[in-house]
Amino acid sequence: MSEPKQVKIVLLTGYLGAGKTTILNHILSNTEGIHAAVIVNDIGEINVDAGLIKDGGYAKEGDVIPLTNGCLCCTLSNDLALQLGDLADTEEFDYIIIEASGICEPIPITYNISAFCNQSQHATNHSHLNLDNIVAVVDCARMFEEFHNGADLLDPDIEEDDIENLLIQQIEFCSTLVLNKTDLVTPEQLHELKALVRGLQKDAVIVEAVNGDIPMSELINTGRFDFDKAYASAAWMDAMEHPEEHEDPEVLEYEITTFVYRRRQPFDLDKLNQFVASWPKNIIRVKGSIWISQDPEMSFVFEQAGKQVQFYENGMFYASLPEDERETLLDEKPELRAEWDDELGDRQTKLCFIGRHMNHEEIEAGLDACLTEYVSDEFDY
């Protein structure tokens, strides 16, 4: 019996108009003998990108699979798995390139692809799939204006808040980051943008491009993707784990800084909401866990990108669990036990801030003014 064929996957992400389809066409038109299939996701009923790829003459019928009327990270996740399996089992392709819609979140898609790839590794009669690279494509001119000039370049039917959030998520979660359309910005603007990107994403390989023209070695057969490494490459995550190590000269040159706010007091949620609504606009990204007085036994995730703020439950604090259950969990997480407080346990707020020209002391003072005392109901009758 022959060995199962190894089929590698590249996921292309990036906002509308960043240049994903142009890069995809470069891959399909390669002269290096690599045969790639394509899955293209467009939200509308008509898959425009799939048409462009076919019309460009870079792919033959059957090589391009359009997935329409939905998003790969939610409604089309099952369709994606089916198409991946079918394409791999033809044994005609070395690669499957997935072009995600410009408004897809990368992490849920990657979860789905990774899970299917793991299943394929245990199959005996089918090709084995491997997620090789996640490529985030950034439009340099648009990103510069989005974060520095404040121009409204967005489609009037799409909320600005959502776009800012998506742009940051796509930058934070990738293994290769393409700064496309570098000819549309000055060298100084490009240098500044690279600092901004590195302020959000510490590990991805950054590649500069004009019209999506990138060496194939930066896109395929890279071996760059590892889920845990990609998740930890977000600068906010790194700062949480290593607050003393995250700064670098390129980022500091433009006063893009990061700091972690930690407190062992809960927030009054009403006061916090008022402060967040008016806090400095030069805060680019905030993410972490918070403790609030209105629900003191529940840990919440707080996440902000641009003007968008999300706040949702993250599970009960371990300190609120029965002692035997709590001890079992602490034995499994020695890092949590290391910072355990004798009185408060793991109840705390831990937020990472990333921004430009931030006044750390002013932000901390504003947050401190939102804190209140923790009153335990342990002895209430």
Side-chain angles (χ1 to χ4, degrees):
M1 179 183 292
S2 61
E3 289 292 319
K5 181 179 177 66
Q6 299 292 322
V7 182
K8 297 182 180 181
I9 298 173
V10 173
L11 174 63
L12 279 173
T13 70
Y15 186 56
L16 305 168
K20 299 189 298 297
T21 301
T22 302
I23 291 173
L24 187 56
N25 281 331
H26 283 314
I27 296 174
L28 292 174
S29 62
N30 81 88
T31 58
E32 300 176 26
I34 296 167
H35 194 184
V38 177
I39 296 174
V40 184
N41 175 214
D42 219 341
I43 294 299
E45 293 183 7
I46 301 173
N47 197 314
V48 178
D49 283 351
L52 289 173
I53 294 162
K54 290 180 180 178
D55 293 344
Y58 298 124
K60 65 179 186 291
E61 195 69 33
D63 287 7
V64 180
I65 309 296
L67 294 180
T68 58
N69 259 347
C71 178
L72 292 180
C73 56
C74 45
T75 55
L76 294 178
S77 59
N78 289 334
D79 291 351
L80 175 60
L82 290 172
Q83 293 297 344
L84 286 174
D86 289 346
L87 287 171
D89 287 343
T90 66
E91 298 193 347
E92 295 180 12
F93 305 104
D94 306 302
Y95 261 84
I96 299 173
I97 317 297
I98 303 170
E99 182 188 347
S101 163
I103 60 173
C104 283
E105 298 176 7
I107 292 181
I109 302 173
T110 307
Y111 267 128
N112 294 332
I113 297 172
S114 297
F116 191 78
C117 288
N118 289 338
Q119 292 174 19
S120 78
Q121 299 303 317
H122 301 289
T124 55
N125 299 320
H126 300 280
S127 297
H128 288 177
L129 291 156
N130 179 48
L131 182 52
D132 180 66
N133 200 7
I134 295 184
V135 181
V137 187
V138 171
D139 179 331
C140 286
R142 185 170 200 158
M143 277 294 293
F144 186 84
E145 295 180 17
E146 184 87 25
F147 283 96
H148 303 298
N149 296 343
D152 184 5
L153 303 177
L154 309 176
D155 188 300
D157 295 327
I158 302 176
E159 291 293 326
E160 179 182 0
D161 300 351
D162 295 333
I163 301 315
E164 290 176 337
N165 189 39
L166 279 168
L167 287 169
I168 289 174
Q169 286 188 53
Q170 290 164 354
I171 290 169
E172 285 181 334
F173 193 81
C174 64
S175 46
T176 302
L177 202 151
V178 177
L179 296 180
N180 197 25
K181 308 181 187 181
T182 57
D183 54 322
L184 301 182
V185 294
T186 66
E188 172 60 22
Q189 288 173 334
L190 178 60
H191 192 54
E192 186 174 357
L193 180 56
K194 287 176 70 175
L196 171 64
V197 165
R198 193 54 85 195
L200 293 168
Q201 158 61 262
K202 70 179 185 68
D203 285 336
V205 175
I206 297 177
V207 182
E208 299 174 22
V210 175
N211 196 32
D213 191 7
I214 303 162
M216 293 292 287
S217 60
E218 299 289 359
L219 299 170
I220 65 172
N221 205 29
T222 64
R224 287 176 185 163
F225 180 75
D226 175 271
F227 191 95
D228 292 336
K229 183 178 178 182
Y231 190 78
S233 68
W236 72 267
M237 175 69 77
D238 181 56
M240 290 289 202
E241 300 297 326
H242 309 286
E244 72 287 352
E245 299 175 4
H246 64 276
E247 307 288 19
D248 64 63
E250 183 181 36
V251 171
L252 291 174
E253 180 182 353
Y254 292 96
E255 297 185 55
I256 299 168
T257 58
T258 303
F259 74 93
V260 178
Y261 176 86
R262 300 171 187 258
R263 293 293 186 272
R264 290 277 186 176
Q265 283 180 262
F267 283 118
D268 178 282
L269 187 57
D270 294 332
K271 291 182 179 180
L272 180 63
N273 284 333
Q274 291 177 11
F275 178 61
V276 171
S278 61
W279 70 11
K281 294 181 179 179
N282 51 9
I283 296 173
I284 298 171
R285 179 65 154 147
V286 184
K287 191 164 184 178
S289 59
I290 67 171
W291 181 23
I292 63 170
S293 61
Q294 284 85 346
D295 194 352
E297 305 308 320
M298 177 65 69
S299 172
F300 289 86
V301 171
F302 180 92
E303 184 172 358
Q304 176 259 339
K307 295 179 181 179
Q308 176 159 325
V309 175
Q310 297 184 67
F311 173 76
Y312 49 91
E313 292 183 358
N314 192 39
M316 303 289 285
F317 285 113
Y318 286 1
S320 64
L321 300 174
E323 183 176 359
D324 56 343
E325 186 177 347
R326 181 175 67 234
E327 288 300 314
T328 299
L329 290 169
L330 286 174
D331 287 341
E332 296 172 357
K333 296 179 179 291
E335 71 280 2
L336 187 60
R337 190 183 289 278
E339 61 176 29
W340 191 265
D341 182 86
D342 290 340
E343 179 184 354
L344 300 174
D346 60 329
R347 298 182 187 93
Q348 66 173 316
T349 286
K350 190 189 300 185
L351 290 172
C352 178
F353 284 77
I354 301 172
R356 191 161 185 250
H357 306 303
M358 288 189 299
N359 185 324
H360 298 188
E361 292 77 15
E362 182 179 287
I363 295 170
E364 288 182 341
L367 290 168
D368 286 346
C370 302
L371 298 173
T372 186
E373 294 298 322
Y374 170 56
V375 180
S376 173
D377 60 2
E378 182 178 353
F379 302 107
D380 288 352
Y381 297 97

